[in-house]
Amino acid sequence: MKSSIIAVSEKEKARSFLRKIKGRVPAFVCVLGNTETAKIPGLSAAGANPDITDYTPPADAEFLFYEKCRCIPGVPITPDGIPTPALITRASLKLAGIPVFIAVGGLRIKPQVPYIDLGGLPGKDIRSGDAVENAEEIFHRGEVFGRSLASVADYLVVGESVAGGTTTALAVMLAMGIDAKGKVSSSMSGNPHGLKESVVGEGMKNAGVAQGDLKDKPMDAVSKFGDPMMPAFAGIACGASDEVPVLLAGGTQMGAVLSVVKGMKKDALKNVAVGTTRWIAHDKTSDLGGIVRQVGRVPVLAANIDFSASKHDGLRAYERGMVKEGVGCGGATIAALLKRREIRIENVIRETENIYNRLRGGIR
Amino acid sequence: MKSSIIAVSEKEKARSFLRKIKGRVPAFVCVLGNTETAKIPGLSAAGANPDITDYTPPADAEFLFYEKCRCIPGVPITPDGIPTPALITRASLKLAGIPVFIAVGGLRIKPQVPYIDLGGLPGKDIRSGDAVENAEEIFHRGEVFGRSLASVADYLVVGESVAGGTTTALAVMLAMGIDAKGKVSSSMSGNPHGLKESVVGEGMKNAGVAQGDLKDKPMDAVSKFGDPMMPAFAGIACGASDEVPVLLAGGTQMGAVLSVVKGMKKDALKNVAVGTTRWIAHDKTSDLGGIVRQVGRVPVLAANIDFSASKHDGLRAYERGMVKEGVGCGGATIAALLKRREIRIENVIRETENIYNRLRGGIR
């Protein structure tokens, strides 16, 4: 195993998962969803301001194909001007020639790329206790699509883009009895745990649900407190994992996805791993390992991307705890490193910098 | 080569194409579109009555996944009760374990399955001379999707479902200077060439376009006289054919698709073949070979499916010239026969009969 991929937990299983996928030909799927929850001030940095978070997922998807966005000028940035992790994902997939498929769980703004529609609607504010319509249907369509893609690809890498997604993840996990308080990550360097917990608390109160009440009811938990990415992502993972390994590319949101996967089809956990970044694996303000362990013995891997030496402040900011993960950037990097021996982590870093250079002007 | 696959034209190229794809792992894509043209009485038999033709493409797509339709009771049938060729497609894909992807060029009614949205709108009546909006965008999104799928599948089989599609095909071919008069096929045993030509003539007159005027303007021809399946299908074929062989699964509509492919990217013709049924290849009321020859030296293959001995009148009707082709049934059968040596044409016929048996009650 290359030291550019860190086995974070379940190390034996992690190595065995890596052996299964090394040198094979993956497909990358990015699952999009939105939640009105993201518009609560102070909650998400996935957008220059709360109202623009609707555009973040479609803009990320467009960037993966065209290296530029179509629905917004420039690229998604945080309020401080730090660019979307889609830059890293694009760099990795491009270097390794890994194809991209975009799956839409539910969105207000549709991406201007070919995308797989799974029949969902935009997600609502979880404080209503009624966040996702049609969760079961989205899950089943995801399952069908995942199975189809798995019959042609050797394995899947599935990422996500949902602004506000760690708050919905916290809510779904708490409802399903996973102790995730203080453990979800944030795209901001100061993690607003208190605000997230109060938003989640309001939703649970309004829905009359206490912690753990929906332990074995993943679709209920998603419908009340989730976002439409979750049933789509979980469905794709469940459908594909019968046939091929699935790398769940993301941070602490993967705890919610894994909980849904486990609730819908326990056996699927045997053929999945979580792939994230070092920034998440070493994050002091969150605890991905502590979350995943509660769901099951699923290995966690991290791409050892390091931007400390970058000449761009927008990338060095990742080392200060900004952004950290998203658009499956960690998993995509792992997949690129494993696909061809010639691709090293330095190449991914350099290609990300090249992309950044080409974008200047679009990024502050 | 098995005698269950007939090399209809360009026989040397046909054999070479078959060698390229034999034993490989394909993905099947069914491209959907609608055209208001289908509602002109007497034009299409792809639906029990003209108004229901809106439901034929989504119902076909649903059938491919679930072996039953979700948006209509039963399955699409002709006014005489003859079932959709999706039965044959489903039988072939199921036997061979070939995955299905649904791409939507433009539809009034969306299928209740995962589908790839290519950003198109429902097609309008070609008598307006303004039939398809956004053709170029649909084409380019198709191209992107085709390229992605081609990086994981060994080759693509692309079929279509568009009620009224031979009339739009006739119009596009005439506008592009292909002499297709009296040569397009029909889902009815009596082929209403006169009606089709008068509809096309009205459209061309209203648009001020004479035969051959749009010879080198495929997007113009599609925008004025086509249906939204065409730019999607041609885009997918163009995007994929850089990487892998593409079998265009259909009847005389493939003449229009090939014309668009040639106009957008001439080199793509080198890596494609048309795959159809014996019913089309031997049809006295149409001339697929005569159409394709005018576009280029593209091989035509036909699956030698024979329902003469079927116990179901609904399938024997295919031998009397009903339906003949659609939902890529000929190409899907060819792909199934080539994927695994154990699959013979008799297995496809028997599986189609089994599916028919299970459906009884749904079909008159």
Side-chain angles (χ1 to χ4, degrees):
Chain A
M1 190 171 40
K2 308 185 186 187
S3 64
S4 47
I5 302 172
I6 310 163
V8 179
S9 61
E10 294 290 346
K11 299 190 179 185
E12 196 43 60
K13 281 173 185 276
R15 279 186 281 266
S16 139
F17 189 90
L18 288 173
R19 276 192 300 272
K20 281 197 286 187
I21 65 176
K22 194 172 177 180
R24 311 303 302 275
V25 179
F28 180 83
V29 184
C30 187
V31 187
L32 312 182
N34 79 316
T35 169
E36 287 298 307
T37 318
K39 296 180 185 165
I40 299 171
L43 208 65
S44 173
N49 63 65
D51 283 337
I52 212 170
T53 56
D54 280 344
Y55 289 85
T56 299
D60 279 337
E62 292 160 6
F63 193 82
L64 292 183
F65 282 107
Y66 304 115
E67 212 169 293
K68 65 180 182 190
C69 304
R70 300 182 70 183
C71 67
I72 59 168
V75 301
I77 52 171
T78 67
D80 299 326
I82 314 303
T84 169
L87 272 71
I88 305 169
T89 313
R90 163 78 185 175
S92 294
L93 300 177
K94 192 178 166 188
L95 279 173
I98 296 172
V100 177
F101 296 86
I102 301 298
V104 171
L107 280 180
R108 263 184 186 282
I109 309 291
K110 300 293 168 67
Q112 295 172 36
V113 296
Y115 65 85
I116 294 96
D117 192 305
L118 298 172
L121 297 169
K124 292 172 281 182
D125 190 324
I126 61 169
R127 289 176 298 186
S128 66
D130 172 24
V132 178
E133 285 179 64
N134 229 12
E136 199 126 1
E137 176 74 17
I138 302 170
F139 176 87
H140 287 300
R141 291 199 200 177
E143 213 178 358
V144 165
F145 172 68
R147 201 175 295 128
S148 293
L149 197 55
S151 3
V152 281
D154 290 340
Y155 73 99
L156 300 195
V157 183
V158 190
E160 56 67 44
S161 175
V162 186
T166 54
T167 304
T168 49
L170 173 64
V172 165
M173 289 192 280
L174 290 180
M176 293 185 72
I178 303 289
D179 171 23
K181 271 194 188 159
K183 293 187 170 65
V184 293
S185 65
S186 169
S187 48
M188 293 176 254
S189 56
N191 192 332
H193 286 301
L195 175 59
K196 289 180 187 177
E197 284 159 24
S198 95
V199 166
V200 171
E202 195 177 331
M204 291 178 76
K205 189 176 152 217
N206 287 336
V209 169
Q211 206 168 319
D213 274 4
L214 304 179
K215 191 170 174 7
D216 300 315
K217 294 179 175 158
M219 287 298 120
D220 251 26
V222 168
S223 301
K224 290 186 165 64
F225 310 118
D227 61 63
M229 172 280 288
M230 294 172 178
F233 196 130
I236 292 169
C238 286
S241 64
D242 279 345
E243 315 266 345
V244 299
V246 180
L247 185 61
L248 312 181
T252 51
Q253 283 163 272
M254 295 305 106
V257 168
L258 278 172
S259 304
V260 175
V261 166
K262 182 183 178 185
M264 295 302 284
K265 189 170 163 187
K266 201 174 173 194
D267 273 356
L269 292 189
K270 291 180 193 162
N271 212 11
V272 306
V274 174
T276 191
T277 62
R278 180 181 51 86
W279 305 303
I280 290 288
H282 293 176
D283 182 26
K284 298 272 184 292
T285 77
S286 68
D287 183 7
L288 174 61
I291 286 172
V292 172
R293 214 170 300 130
Q294 294 177 63
V295 185
R297 299 192 54 191
V298 171
V300 178
L301 299 152
N304 196 1
I305 314 167
D306 190 332
F307 286 142
S308 330
S310 175
K311 53 182 175 301
H312 301 299
D313 185 58
L315 296 178
R316 283 199 309 276
Y318 278 65
E319 299 299 330
R320 298 194 302 271
M322 301 293 297
V323 184
K324 296 188 198 76
E325 173 60 283
V327 199
C329 73
T333 302
I334 293 170
L337 297 175
L338 291 169
K339 189 165 173 228
R340 301 208 337 254
R341 188 183 291 269
E342 314 84 82
I343 301 175
R344 295 168 177 279
I345 197 89
E346 295 74 31
N347 303 109
V348 174
I349 294 169
R350 198 169 320 124
E351 183 62 27
T352 306
E353 297 213 303
N354 292 342
I355 292 173
Y356 194 106
N357 273 331
R358 289 195 286 273
L359 283 176
R360 299 248 292 204
I363 304 172
R364 272 179 279 173
Chain B
M1 190 171 40
K2 307 186 188 187
S3 64
S4 46
I5 302 173
I6 309 163
V8 178
S9 60
E10 293 290 346
K11 298 191 180 184
E12 197 41 61
K13 281 173 184 275
R15 278 186 282 265
S16 140
F17 189 90
L18 289 173
R19 276 192 300 270
K20 282 196 285 186
I21 64 175
K22 194 171 178 182
R24 310 303 301 274
V25 179
F28 180 83
V29 183
C30 187
V31 186
L32 312 182
N34 79 314
T35 169
E36 287 298 306
T37 318
K39 295 178 185 167
I40 299 171
L43 207 66
S44 173
N49 63 65
D51 284 337
I52 211 170
T53 56
D54 280 344
Y55 290 85
T56 300
D60 279 337
E62 291 160 6
F63 193 82
L64 293 183
F65 283 106
Y66 303 116
E67 210 168 295
K68 65 180 181 189
C69 303
R70 299 182 70 183
C71 66
I72 58 168
V75 300
I77 52 171
T78 68
D80 299 327
I82 314 304
T84 169
L87 272 71
I88 304 168
T89 313
R90 163 78 184 174
S92 294
L93 300 178
K94 191 178 166 189
L95 280 174
I98 296 171
V100 177
F101 297 86
I102 301 298
V104 171
L107 280 180
R108 265 185 185 281
I109 309 291
K110 299 293 167 68
Q112 294 173 35
V113 296
Y115 65 86
I116 294 97
D117 192 306
L118 297 173
L121 297 169
K124 292 172 282 182
D125 190 323
I126 61 169
R127 290 176 298 186
S128 66
D130 173 23
V132 177
E133 284 178 65
N134 228 13
E136 199 125 0
E137 176 74 16
I138 301 170
F139 176 88
H140 287 299
R141 291 200 199 176
E143 214 178 358
V144 166
F145 172 68
R147 202 174 296 129
S148 293
L149 198 53
S151 2
V152 281
D154 290 341
Y155 72 100
L156 300 194
V157 183
V158 189
E160 56 68 43
S161 174
V162 185
T166 55
T167 304
T168 49
L170 173 63
V172 165
M173 289 191 282
L174 289 180
M176 293 186 72
I178 303 289
D179 171 24
K181 271 193 187 161
K183 292 187 169 66
V184 294
S185 65
S186 169
S187 49
M188 295 177 252
S189 57
N191 192 334
H193 286 301
L195 176 59
K196 289 179 187 179
E197 284 159 25
S198 93
V199 166
V200 171
E202 196 176 331
M204 291 178 76
K205 191 176 150 217
N206 288 337
V209 169
Q211 207 167 318
D213 275 3
L214 304 178
K215 190 170 172 10
D216 299 314
K217 296 178 173 158
M219 287 298 119
D220 251 27
V222 167
S223 301
K224 290 186 165 64
F225 310 119
D227 62 63
M229 171 279 289
M230 294 173 179
F233 196 129
I236 292 168
C238 285
S241 64
D242 279 344
E243 315 266 344
V244 299
V246 181
L247 185 61
L248 312 181
T252 51
Q253 283 163 271
M254 294 305 106
V257 168
L258 278 172
S259 304
V260 175
V261 166
K262 182 184 178 185
M264 296 302 284
K265 189 172 164 185
K266 202 174 173 195
D267 273 357
L269 291 189
K270 292 180 191 161
N271 213 11
V272 306
V274 174
T276 191
T277 62
R278 180 180 52 84
W279 305 303
I280 290 288
H282 292 176
D283 182 26
K284 296 274 185 290
T285 76
S286 69
D287 183 7
L288 174 61
I291 287 172
V292 172
R293 214 170 300 131
Q294 294 177 62
V295 185
R297 298 192 56 190
V298 172
V300 178
L301 300 152
N304 196 1
I305 314 166
D306 189 332
F307 286 143
S308 331
S310 174
K311 51 183 177 299
H312 300 299
D313 185 58
L315 295 178
R316 282 198 311 276
Y318 277 64
E319 299 299 330
R320 298 193 303 271
M322 301 293 297
V323 185
K324 296 188 198 77
E325 174 58 282
V327 199
C329 72
T333 302
I334 292 169
L337 298 174
L338 291 169
K339 189 164 175 228
R340 300 209 337 254
R341 187 183 290 272
E342 314 84 82
I343 301 175
R344 296 168 175 281
I345 195 89
E346 296 73 32
N347 302 110
V348 173
I349 295 169
R350 198 171 319 126
E351 183 62 27
T352 307
E353 298 213 300
N354 292 343
I355 291 173
Y356 194 107
N357 272 333
R358 290 195 287 272
L359 283 177
R360 299 252 289 206
I363 303 173
R364 269 178 279 171

